[in-house]
Amino acid sequence: MTARVGDHAPLGVFDSGLGGLTVVRALRNAFPNESLIYLGDTARVPYGTRSPETIVRYARACARVLVERGVKALVVACNTVSAIALDLLRAELDLPVLGVVEPGALSAVRALERWVARAGRVPDDSRPLRIGVLGTASTIASGAYPRAVARLSTRYEVVGQAAPLLVPLVEEGWTDGEVPRLVVRRYVEPRIDPGPRGPVPGCTHYPLLESVITEVAADLAGTPVPVVDSAVATAEAVGEALREARIPGAPLTTDARLEIFVTDRPQSFTGVAQRFLGADLGSVEQIDLVSS
Ligand code: DGL
């Protein structure tokens, strides 16, 4: 499949559900003139508990829908798909394909470097700096984050924690209050120990819980803990990839549009998405991946 590389072609973004909107928000901030097509595979969320074979099948179906709509680059705004199927999508598609794991690893390393610079020294130089990753079961089992962090530096150690219950909480719009706080605490508590660390929400749904994660992690650690997400670094990587592939950006005069497709009834998605992205949410249309 080949990209339509005209400057008016949109960027394509997909996730299993709402989580990828965290990446859409960063892309809209970074590229206000670019049109975006977002696909949330709400009929099949969650992806994070599925087998690698199933995740690959779902990823191919999502990618096909977006490529057929003429996107100039594909952003896999899902850690699970990025961890399992990114190389395959890159090999199969003739357009830039960006994932969120590498930008997430980069954000974590940058956050820890800032932490160390502020602290002035590393508390114990003999121990690697720890990065906690909260992800879906598939993302954690894939080892994608430890690999991505190791490619950047050997100074860091990744401690992964699968946190599958956080995905349905976000899909339900339960992003604050006692219930998410207790669930986050249950996942984070066994992973908190002394020493600098930056928990990375290794699932694009989790930044919607950022304030709860920040509060619980600081409470457990007894000190503020940097919590980072990959959205802004992903937008930077998209910009770089477009420049490298010499794909033109949208002209300043473009009336940038956001088109949203989901694979199940749009009602509850629209409510949470509206709250998250603000009033200028575009249309939300239901499609069928198999027949589209
Ligand atoms: N938001 C996705 C991720 O980053 C998927 C969550 C899920 O569907 O389990 O992994």
Side-chain angles (χ1 to χ4, degrees), residues 15-16 19-20 45-49 77-81 136 139 167 202-205:
D15 180 39
S16 59
V45 66
Y47 281 11
T49 51
C78 173
N79 280 271
T80 306
V81 174
T136 67
T139 300
V167 174
C203 168
T204 48
H205 279 69

Side-chain angles (χ1 to χ4, degrees), residues 85-95 97-99 102:
L86 195 70
D87 289 343
L88 183 135
L89 292 177
R90 281 181 173 154
E92 290 182 353
L93 301 174
D94 188 15
L95 77 173
V97 180
L98 286 302
E102 282 165 14

